[in-house]
Amino acid sequence: MSRAESHSIHTGLSGRMLLENPLLNKGTAFTLEERSELDLHGLLPPRVETLEEQCRRAYKSFSIKPTPILKHIYLRSLQDTNETLFFALVQRHLEEMLPIIYTPVVGQACQRFSDLYRRPRGLYISYPERARMDAMLANFKRNIEVIVVTDGERILGLGDQGVGGMGICIGKLSLYSAVGGITPNQTLPIMLDCGTSNQKLLDDPNYLGWRHGRIDDEQYYEFVDSFIKALKRRWPNALLQFEDFAINHATPLLETYRDELCTFNDDIQGTAGVTAATLLAAAKTAGKSIEDMSVAFLGAGSAGCGIAEQIVRLMMAKGLSEEEARKRIYMVDRFGLIHDEMSDLRAFQQKLAQKHDAIQPWMMDGSVSLADVVKHAKPDAIIGVSGQPGLFTQEIIEQMSRNHEQPIVFPLSNPISQIEAVPEDIIKWSRGKALVATGSPFEPVSFEGRSYPVAQCNNIYIFPGLGLGALANGARRISDGMLDVAVQTLALSSPAVINRESPLLPTLDSIQRVTDDIALAVALQAQKEELAPETERTEIEQRIREKRWSPEYRRIRMSYC
Ligand SMILES: O=C([O-])CC(=O)C(=O)O
Ligand SMILES: [Mg+2]
């Protein structure tokens, strides 16, 4: 019996209903036997194609679409028609298609969600319908393993997109399947529609969300809480990824729920994880060790502070005391370097404030700028999460290059219009010395006859592996320890460590392998922390392999029961 035979799927659907189901539909690849058994004759053109032939035809259609958003629309509609073909195509052209189904083009799809809307996908829970929550979840009869939820309030760098936030949940889950190998029918995107503060959307006659100002405070937290409770009743073991919540909600929600279910926040923990891993890789490339380094941040919001906390943990794992580690972190925001005599510091900033007395000699007009920090503290790395373009100036980069043989410079702000400095300038000003990673994708930079690759420091390197690892051994929680091992594993897979001309992060053609390595490390760590049942390493490896779904057609059979 062939593999397709032994893995056949039985369904009660036939004829047009079957073709309408994207999880089962094979389109022109239904064989003649299947067409007879499932009443499909005449509903499809006569030629029977292989998956490979379908991919070639679909790639041609994709390629002739003139703009990125039209390419996105094409791929999304393929996904809603035939998921196997969609994933087979994306996996064959990952590098080209990733920016189309994910950042940055998915941002436009969120902004234009109501105009582009065609078919249902995922679950919309709007505040006025909250009493029906259990019934809504019960619409999905299958076992759901991974959920990405948003309330649409802070979509990428694009602010409040209301119901359009659904686009980012769909995009992230596509990567869970394309990169993490999670079976698509076990994923579910969820939009918690809490209203919107985006006046443009409220005024748009086509807006498809709840046309109402955003709920907040008690009303908001009660709504989210009833969602979490309903979720725990329906799928108590599912992994829940919070995505693109506004940071004033994201932090308290993470603190409240991380000890209650298997959950993490991609924008806080995923971003911190991938940045810390890239920093570790850069350190290694420069022949340094993290505990000997100091790091300055431009931007002291919760994203910057989240990354800083992850770096503090890495330094402590290398033997520094907490106090010693914190001394090595400099957080600069628009009022200058954060110190303990500043009033109005947020709780997460206080822990990262420098001692006023230590930095007082650097002060000019009552504050310390990033340029002052670079001059006096000589940080090994500067990380930009300011959302403000141009703040990594030529003067700062030149000073960094005088201080260090290989200065580390990560302008992470997205989209490209907001970047602190473009890689081309950083390479030029540092005369090819800087190790660069960015938030947005960039082509390699040529400088004096050499090519300098630019790593894209994106959460995609972390979240699919974290999720796959947690699911592979049934972890109940996502702990800091599990994140730490994900970071270490990703850093170890950096090609730059072996060859300076390679990028700091693995290329996309090896991302599935790296994701499996991260998953294994995460699963083992969960077990070590008693967050998952005791299982042999080989058994976990096997489960990761078995969990990895791949887009291949299976024989579809009529179920007569
Ligand atoms: O989606 C991405 O590319 C990274 C991310 O989570 C965000 O910017 O919110
Ligand atoms: Mg995000």
Side-chain angles (χ1 to χ4, degrees), residues 320-348:
L320 291 193
S321 70
E322 185 169 344
E323 198 189 336
E324 286 165 333
R326 290 185 184 281
K327 262 198 217 154
R328 294 173 170 274
I329 306 285
Y330 299 88
M331 306 299 303
V332 180
D333 74 1
R334 64 202 148 112
F335 303 111
L337 176 60
I338 291 198
H339 60 77
D340 57 0
E341 289 196 3
M342 281 178 157
S343 51
D344 294 341
L345 289 186
R346 319 252 293 265
F348 57 81

PDB file of all heavy atoms in Angstrom, residues 320-348:
ATOM      1  N   LEU A 320      27.446  36.528  36.129  1.00  0.00           N
ATOM      2  CA  LEU A 320      27.375  37.864  36.734  1.00  0.00           C
ATOM      3  C   LEU A 320      26.251  37.909  37.759  1.00  0.00           C
ATOM      4  O   LEU A 320      25.238  37.225  37.622  1.00  0.00           O
ATOM      5  CB  LEU A 320      27.083  38.926  35.666  1.00  0.00           C
ATOM      6  CG  LEU A 320      28.144  39.241  34.626  1.00  0.00           C
ATOM      7  CD1 LEU A 320      27.773  40.522  33.877  1.00  0.00           C
ATOM      8  CD2 LEU A 320      29.519  39.402  35.249  1.00  0.00           C
ATOM      9  N   SER A 321      26.430  38.761  38.782  1.00  0.00           N
ATOM     10  CA  SER A 321      25.308  38.980  39.697  1.00  0.00           C
ATOM     11  C   SER A 321      24.306  39.861  38.962  1.00  0.00           C
ATOM     12  O   SER A 321      24.642  40.511  37.958  1.00  0.00           O
ATOM     13  CB  SER A 321      25.784  39.688  40.961  1.00  0.00           C
ATOM     14  OG  SER A 321      26.135  41.022  40.628  1.00  0.00           O
ATOM     15  N   GLU A 322      23.080  39.905  39.493  1.00  0.00           N
ATOM     16  CA  GLU A 322      22.062  40.719  38.824  1.00  0.00           C
ATOM     17  C   GLU A 322      22.515  42.182  38.758  1.00  0.00           C
ATOM     18  O   GLU A 322      22.386  42.854  37.732  1.00  0.00           O
ATOM     19  CB  GLU A 322      20.731  40.596  39.570  1.00  0.00           C
ATOM     20  CG  GLU A 322      19.637  41.322  38.851  1.00  0.00           C
ATOM     21  CD  GLU A 322      18.244  41.016  39.386  1.00  0.00           C
ATOM     22  OE1 GLU A 322      18.073  40.023  40.116  1.00  0.00           O
ATOM     23  OE2 GLU A 322      17.340  41.806  39.059  1.00  0.00           O
ATOM     24  N   GLU A 323      23.101  42.639  39.862  1.00  0.00           N
ATOM     25  CA  GLU A 323      23.526  44.043  39.908  1.00  0.00           C
ATOM     26  C   GLU A 323      24.621  44.327  38.868  1.00  0.00           C
ATOM     27  O   GLU A 323      24.568  45.319  38.144  1.00  0.00           O
ATOM     28  CB  GLU A 323      24.026  44.339  41.316  1.00  0.00           C
ATOM     29  CG  GLU A 323      24.081  45.810  41.600  1.00  0.00           C
ATOM     30  CD  GLU A 323      24.788  46.077  42.920  1.00  0.00           C
ATOM     31  OE1 GLU A 323      24.811  45.168  43.775  1.00  0.00           O
ATOM     32  OE2 GLU A 323      25.331  47.182  43.063  1.00  0.00           O
ATOM     33  N   GLU A 324      25.565  43.413  38.797  1.00  0.00           N
ATOM     34  CA  GLU A 324      26.652  43.596  37.808  1.00  0.00           C
ATOM     35  C   GLU A 324      26.102  43.617  36.386  1.00  0.00           C
ATOM     36  O   GLU A 324      26.526  44.402  35.544  1.00  0.00           O
ATOM     37  CB  GLU A 324      27.670  42.444  37.916  1.00  0.00           C
ATOM     38  CG  GLU A 324      28.569  42.522  39.122  1.00  0.00           C
ATOM     39  CD  GLU A 324      29.303  41.179  39.367  1.00  0.00           C
ATOM     40  OE1 GLU A 324      28.782  40.099  38.981  1.00  0.00           O
ATOM     41  OE2 GLU A 324      30.388  41.235  39.932  1.00  0.00           O
ATOM     42  N   ALA A 325      25.140  42.727  36.146  1.00  0.00           N
ATOM     43  CA  ALA A 325      24.572  42.653  34.794  1.00  0.00           C
ATOM     44  C   ALA A 325      23.833  43.951  34.466  1.00  0.00           C
ATOM     45  O   ALA A 325      24.005  44.515  33.385  1.00  0.00           O
ATOM     46  CB  ALA A 325      23.638  41.453  34.687  1.00  0.00           C
ATOM     47  N   ARG A 326      23.014  44.422  35.393  1.00  0.00           N
ATOM     48  CA  ARG A 326      22.211  45.626  35.110  1.00  0.00           C
ATOM     49  C   ARG A 326      23.086  46.860  34.882  1.00  0.00           C
ATOM     50  O   ARG A 326      22.735  47.746  34.117  1.00  0.00           O
ATOM     51  CB  ARG A 326      21.206  45.877  36.245  1.00  0.00           C
ATOM     52  CG  ARG A 326      20.106  44.830  36.253  1.00  0.00           C
ATOM     53  CD  ARG A 326      19.018  45.091  37.257  1.00  0.00           C
ATOM     54  NE  ARG A 326      18.086  43.973  37.240  1.00  0.00           N
ATOM     55  CZ  ARG A 326      17.134  43.783  36.327  1.00  0.00           C
ATOM     56  NH1 ARG A 326      16.952  44.693  35.381  1.00  0.00           N
ATOM     57  NH2 ARG A 326      16.359  42.731  36.350  1.00  0.00           N
ATOM     58  N   LYS A 327      24.245  46.890  35.549  1.00  0.00           N
ATOM     59  CA  LYS A 327      25.162  48.020  35.361  1.00  0.00           C
ATOM     60  C   LYS A 327      25.638  48.130  33.913  1.00  0.00           C
ATOM     61  O   LYS A 327      26.078  49.174  33.454  1.00  0.00           O
ATOM     62  CB  LYS A 327      26.394  47.808  36.242  1.00  0.00           C
ATOM     63  CG  LYS A 327      26.351  48.561  37.545  1.00  0.00           C
ATOM     64  CD  LYS A 327      27.761  48.631  38.085  1.00  0.00           C
ATOM     65  CE  LYS A 327      27.732  48.510  39.581  1.00  0.00           C
ATOM     66  NZ  LYS A 327      28.934  47.989  40.163  1.00  0.00           N
ATOM     67  N   ARG A 328      25.610  47.002  33.202  1.00  0.00           N
ATOM     68  CA  ARG A 328      26.144  46.975  31.836  1.00  0.00           C
ATOM     69  C   ARG A 328      25.112  47.351  30.775  1.00  0.00           C
ATOM     70  O   ARG A 328      25.375  47.262  29.591  1.00  0.00           O
ATOM     71  CB  ARG A 328      26.670  45.555  31.534  1.00  0.00           C
ATOM     72  CG  ARG A 328      27.844  45.213  32.392  1.00  0.00           C
ATOM     73  CD  ARG A 328      28.268  43.771  32.217  1.00  0.00           C
ATOM     74  NE  ARG A 328      29.527  43.587  32.887  1.00  0.00           N
ATOM     75  CZ  ARG A 328      30.713  43.831  32.334  1.00  0.00           C
ATOM     76  NH1 ARG A 328      30.771  44.238  31.082  1.00  0.00           N
ATOM     77  NH2 ARG A 328      31.807  43.676  33.030  1.00  0.00           N
ATOM     78  N   ILE A 329      23.919  47.720  31.224  1.00  0.00           N
ATOM     79  CA  ILE A 329      22.849  48.056  30.276  1.00  0.00           C
ATOM     80  C   ILE A 329      22.530  49.547  30.391  1.00  0.00           C
ATOM     81  O   ILE A 329      22.288  50.051  31.501  1.00  0.00           O
ATOM     82  CB  ILE A 329      21.565  47.249  30.604  1.00  0.00           C
ATOM     83  CG1 ILE A 329      21.852  45.752  30.663  1.00  0.00           C
ATOM     84  CG2 ILE A 329      20.448  47.593  29.620  1.00  0.00           C
ATOM     85  CD1 ILE A 329      22.054  45.069  29.349  1.00  0.00           C
ATOM     86  N   TYR A 330      22.514  50.226  29.280  1.00  0.00           N
ATOM     87  CA  TYR A 330      22.218  51.668  29.247  1.00  0.00           C
ATOM     88  C   TYR A 330      20.962  51.883  28.422  1.00  0.00           C
ATOM     89  O   TYR A 330      20.941  51.565  27.224  1.00  0.00           O
ATOM     90  CB  TYR A 330      23.388  52.442  28.624  1.00  0.00           C
ATOM     91  CG  TYR A 330      24.666  52.276  29.408  1.00  0.00           C
ATOM     92  CD1 TYR A 330      25.527  51.214  29.129  1.00  0.00           C
ATOM     93  CD2 TYR A 330      24.998  53.150  30.434  1.00  0.00           C
ATOM     94  CE1 TYR A 330      26.691  51.026  29.865  1.00  0.00           C
ATOM     95  CE2 TYR A 330      26.158  52.985  31.177  1.00  0.00           C
ATOM     96  CZ  TYR A 330      27.001  51.917  30.890  1.00  0.00           C
ATOM     97  OH  TYR A 330      28.141  51.737  31.619  1.00  0.00           O
ATOM     98  N   MET A 331      19.936  52.405  29.058  1.00  0.00           N
ATOM     99  CA  MET A 331      18.667  52.634  28.350  1.00  0.00           C
ATOM    100  C   MET A 331      18.510  54.138  28.113  1.00  0.00           C
ATOM    101  O   MET A 331      18.440  54.919  29.069  1.00  0.00           O
ATOM    102  CB  MET A 331      17.468  52.162  29.189  1.00  0.00           C
ATOM    103  CG  MET A 331      17.499  50.735  29.693  1.00  0.00           C
ATOM    104  SD  MET A 331      17.564  49.443  28.412  1.00  0.00           S
ATOM    105  CE  MET A 331      16.128  49.779  27.436  1.00  0.00           C
ATOM    106  N   VAL A 332      18.442  54.508  26.834  1.00  0.00           N
ATOM    107  CA  VAL A 332      18.313  55.932  26.508  1.00  0.00           C
ATOM    108  C   VAL A 332      16.942  56.152  25.865  1.00  0.00           C
ATOM    109  O   VAL A 332      16.587  55.431  24.931  1.00  0.00           O
ATOM    110  CB  VAL A 332      19.409  56.371  25.512  1.00  0.00           C
ATOM    111  CG1 VAL A 332      19.290  57.857  25.174  1.00  0.00           C
ATOM    112  CG2 VAL A 332      20.801  56.048  26.055  1.00  0.00           C
ATOM    113  N   ASP A 333      16.170  57.091  26.383  1.00  0.00           N
ATOM    114  CA  ASP A 333      14.940  57.433  25.667  1.00  0.00           C
ATOM    115  C   ASP A 333      14.964  58.918  25.335  1.00  0.00           C
ATOM    116  O   ASP A 333      16.016  59.558  25.423  1.00  0.00           O
ATOM    117  CB  ASP A 333      13.688  56.987  26.427  1.00  0.00           C
ATOM    118  CG  ASP A 333      13.383  57.851  27.619  1.00  0.00           C
ATOM    119  OD1 ASP A 333      14.136  58.822  27.852  1.00  0.00           O
ATOM    120  OD2 ASP A 333      12.387  57.573  28.303  1.00  0.00           O
ATOM    121  N   ARG A 334      13.801  59.486  24.996  1.00  0.00           N
ATOM    122  CA  ARG A 334      13.903  60.870  24.477  1.00  0.00           C
ATOM    123  C   ARG A 334      14.330  61.860  25.547  1.00  0.00           C
ATOM    124  O   ARG A 334      14.700  62.979  25.251  1.00  0.00           O
ATOM    125  CB  ARG A 334      12.621  61.269  23.748  1.00  0.00           C
ATOM    126  CG  ARG A 334      11.418  61.328  24.592  1.00  0.00           C
ATOM    127  CD  ARG A 334      10.191  61.186  23.707  1.00  0.00           C
ATOM    128  NE  ARG A 334       9.192  60.499  24.496  1.00  0.00           N
ATOM    129  CZ  ARG A 334       8.085  61.061  24.914  1.00  0.00           C
ATOM    130  NH1 ARG A 334       7.797  62.289  24.590  1.00  0.00           N
ATOM    131  NH2 ARG A 334       7.234  60.381  25.662  1.00  0.00           N
ATOM    132  N   PHE A 335      14.269  61.467  26.840  1.00  0.00           N
ATOM    133  CA  PHE A 335      14.770  62.363  27.884  1.00  0.00           C
ATOM    134  C   PHE A 335      16.215  62.052  28.263  1.00  0.00           C
ATOM    135  O   PHE A 335      16.742  62.555  29.241  1.00  0.00           O
ATOM    136  CB  PHE A 335      13.872  62.290  29.125  1.00  0.00           C
ATOM    137  CG  PHE A 335      12.437  62.621  28.799  1.00  0.00           C
ATOM    138  CD1 PHE A 335      11.463  61.639  28.844  1.00  0.00           C
ATOM    139  CD2 PHE A 335      12.087  63.906  28.400  1.00  0.00           C
ATOM    140  CE1 PHE A 335      10.149  61.938  28.506  1.00  0.00           C
ATOM    141  CE2 PHE A 335      10.765  64.212  28.061  1.00  0.00           C
ATOM    142  CZ  PHE A 335       9.800  63.225  28.109  1.00  0.00           C
ATOM    143  N   GLY A 336      16.853  61.190  27.501  1.00  0.00           N
ATOM    144  CA  GLY A 336      18.249  60.854  27.774  1.00  0.00           C
ATOM    145  C   GLY A 336      18.379  59.539  28.520  1.00  0.00           C
ATOM    146  O   GLY A 336      17.408  58.777  28.658  1.00  0.00           O
ATOM    147  N   LEU A 337      19.609  59.286  28.970  1.00  0.00           N
ATOM    148  CA  LEU A 337      19.899  58.024  29.661  1.00  0.00           C
ATOM    149  C   LEU A 337      19.051  57.912  30.934  1.00  0.00           C
ATOM    150  O   LEU A 337      19.008  58.854  31.747  1.00  0.00           O
ATOM    151  CB  LEU A 337      21.395  57.998  30.017  1.00  0.00           C
ATOM    152  CG  LEU A 337      21.885  56.809  30.831  1.00  0.00           C
ATOM    153  CD1 LEU A 337      21.648  55.492  30.103  1.00  0.00           C
ATOM    154  CD2 LEU A 337      23.381  56.968  31.128  1.00  0.00           C
ATOM    155  N   ILE A 338      18.428  56.773  31.118  1.00  0.00           N
ATOM    156  CA  ILE A 338      17.551  56.582  32.282  1.00  0.00           C
ATOM    157  C   ILE A 338      18.390  56.361  33.539  1.00  0.00           C
ATOM    158  O   ILE A 338      19.291  55.514  33.556  1.00  0.00           O
ATOM    159  CB  ILE A 338      16.623  55.385  32.017  1.00  0.00           C
ATOM    160  CG1 ILE A 338      15.666  55.816  30.917  1.00  0.00           C
ATOM    161  CG2 ILE A 338      15.916  54.918  33.257  1.00  0.00           C
ATOM    162  CD1 ILE A 338      14.449  54.997  30.779  1.00  0.00           C
ATOM    163  N   HIS A 339      18.105  57.161  34.574  1.00  0.00           N
ATOM    164  CA  HIS A 339      18.826  56.985  35.837  1.00  0.00           C
ATOM    165  C   HIS A 339      17.845  57.055  36.994  1.00  0.00           C
ATOM    166  O   HIS A 339      16.688  57.471  36.830  1.00  0.00           O
ATOM    167  CB  HIS A 339      19.956  58.016  35.963  1.00  0.00           C
ATOM    168  CG  HIS A 339      19.481  59.434  35.934  1.00  0.00           C
ATOM    169  ND1 HIS A 339      18.887  60.027  37.017  1.00  0.00           N
ATOM    170  CD2 HIS A 339      19.504  60.364  34.943  1.00  0.00           C
ATOM    171  CE1 HIS A 339      18.573  61.275  36.707  1.00  0.00           C
ATOM    172  NE2 HIS A 339      18.923  61.505  35.447  1.00  0.00           N
ATOM    173  N   ASP A 340      18.343  56.642  38.163  1.00  0.00           N
ATOM    174  CA  ASP A 340      17.413  56.434  39.273  1.00  0.00           C
ATOM    175  C   ASP A 340      16.913  57.717  39.936  1.00  0.00           C
ATOM    176  O   ASP A 340      16.100  57.657  40.844  1.00  0.00           O
ATOM    177  CB  ASP A 340      18.034  55.471  40.303  1.00  0.00           C
ATOM    178  CG  ASP A 340      19.378  55.975  40.821  1.00  0.00           C
ATOM    179  OD1 ASP A 340      19.813  57.065  40.371  1.00  0.00           O
ATOM    180  OD2 ASP A 340      19.990  55.273  41.647  1.00  0.00           O
ATOM    181  N   GLU A 341      17.371  58.859  39.479  1.00  0.00           N
ATOM    182  CA  GLU A 341      16.794  60.081  40.045  1.00  0.00           C
ATOM    183  C   GLU A 341      15.761  60.707  39.119  1.00  0.00           C
ATOM    184  O   GLU A 341      15.286  61.817  39.357  1.00  0.00           O
ATOM    185  CB  GLU A 341      17.904  61.069  40.418  1.00  0.00           C
ATOM    186  CG  GLU A 341      18.640  60.547  41.630  1.00  0.00           C
ATOM    187  CD  GLU A 341      19.505  61.574  42.327  1.00  0.00           C
ATOM    188  OE1 GLU A 341      19.513  62.755  41.915  1.00  0.00           O
ATOM    189  OE2 GLU A 341      20.170  61.170  43.280  1.00  0.00           O
ATOM    190  N   MET A 342      15.435  60.018  38.056  1.00  0.00           N
ATOM    191  CA  MET A 342      14.372  60.526  37.177  1.00  0.00           C
ATOM    192  C   MET A 342      13.022  60.211  37.821  1.00  0.00           C
ATOM    193  O   MET A 342      12.838  59.119  38.361  1.00  0.00           O
ATOM    194  CB  MET A 342      14.425  59.825  35.815  1.00  0.00           C
ATOM    195  CG  MET A 342      15.491  60.356  34.902  1.00  0.00           C
ATOM    196  SD  MET A 342      15.470  59.384  33.376  1.00  0.00           S
ATOM    197  CE  MET A 342      16.227  60.525  32.249  1.00  0.00           C
ATOM    198  N   SER A 343      12.095  61.166  37.711  1.00  0.00           N
ATOM    199  CA  SER A 343      10.758  60.855  38.227  1.00  0.00           C
ATOM    200  C   SER A 343       9.966  60.234  37.068  1.00  0.00           C
ATOM    201  O   SER A 343      10.398  60.265  35.912  1.00  0.00           O
ATOM    202  CB  SER A 343      10.092  62.122  38.735  1.00  0.00           C
ATOM    203  OG  SER A 343      10.176  63.111  37.752  1.00  0.00           O
ATOM    204  N   ASP A 344       8.842  59.676  37.388  1.00  0.00           N
ATOM    205  CA  ASP A 344       7.917  59.134  36.369  1.00  0.00           C
ATOM    206  C   ASP A 344       8.458  57.937  35.586  1.00  0.00           C
ATOM    207  O   ASP A 344       8.009  57.692  34.467  1.00  0.00           O
ATOM    208  CB  ASP A 344       7.556  60.194  35.307  1.00  0.00           C
ATOM    209  CG  ASP A 344       6.757  61.326  35.901  1.00  0.00           C
ATOM    210  OD1 ASP A 344       6.205  61.104  36.991  1.00  0.00           O
ATOM    211  OD2 ASP A 344       6.715  62.395  35.286  1.00  0.00           O
ATOM    212  N   LEU A 345       9.432  57.221  36.137  1.00  0.00           N
ATOM    213  CA  LEU A 345       9.872  56.021  35.405  1.00  0.00           C
ATOM    214  C   LEU A 345       8.810  54.945  35.574  1.00  0.00           C
ATOM    215  O   LEU A 345       8.212  54.810  36.644  1.00  0.00           O
ATOM    216  CB  LEU A 345      11.204  55.508  35.961  1.00  0.00           C
ATOM    217  CG  LEU A 345      12.440  56.346  35.661  1.00  0.00           C
ATOM    218  CD1 LEU A 345      13.685  55.631  36.157  1.00  0.00           C
ATOM    219  CD2 LEU A 345      12.559  56.655  34.166  1.00  0.00           C
ATOM    220  N   ARG A 346       8.567  54.164  34.496  1.00  0.00           N
ATOM    221  CA  ARG A 346       7.627  53.047  34.612  1.00  0.00           C
ATOM    222  C   ARG A 346       8.338  51.930  35.384  1.00  0.00           C
ATOM    223  O   ARG A 346       9.566  51.895  35.448  1.00  0.00           O
ATOM    224  CB  ARG A 346       7.222  52.553  33.219  1.00  0.00           C
ATOM    225  CG  ARG A 346       6.981  53.662  32.216  1.00  0.00           C
ATOM    226  CD  ARG A 346       5.531  53.860  31.864  1.00  0.00           C
ATOM    227  NE  ARG A 346       4.922  52.767  31.126  1.00  0.00           N
ATOM    228  CZ  ARG A 346       4.818  52.727  29.792  1.00  0.00           C
ATOM    229  NH1 ARG A 346       5.351  53.683  29.063  1.00  0.00           N
ATOM    230  NH2 ARG A 346       4.182  51.747  29.210  1.00  0.00           N
ATOM    231  N   ALA A 347       7.520  51.017  35.918  1.00  0.00           N
ATOM    232  CA  ALA A 347       8.101  49.967  36.781  1.00  0.00           C
ATOM    233  C   ALA A 347       9.196  49.192  36.035  1.00  0.00           C
ATOM    234  O   ALA A 347      10.268  48.921  36.582  1.00  0.00           O
ATOM    235  CB  ALA A 347       7.008  49.026  37.251  1.00  0.00           C
ATOM    236  N   PHE A 348       8.937  48.853  34.754  1.00  0.00           N
ATOM    237  CA  PHE A 348       9.922  48.045  34.027  1.00  0.00           C
ATOM    238  C   PHE A 348      11.177  48.836  33.675  1.00  0.00           C
ATOM    239  O   PHE A 348      12.217  48.261  33.376  1.00  0.00           O
ATOM    240  CB  PHE A 348       9.294  47.389  32.787  1.00  0.00           C
ATOM    241  CG  PHE A 348       8.672  48.329  31.792  1.00  0.00           C
ATOM    242  CD1 PHE A 348       9.449  49.003  30.861  1.00  0.00           C
ATOM    243  CD2 PHE A 348       7.306  48.538  31.776  1.00  0.00           C
ATOM    244  CE1 PHE A 348       8.877  49.853  29.932  1.00  0.00           C
ATOM    245  CE2 PHE A 348       6.718  49.397  30.865  1.00  0.00           C
ATOM    246  CZ  PHE A 348       7.498  50.064  29.938  1.00  0.00           C
TER     247      PHE A 348
END
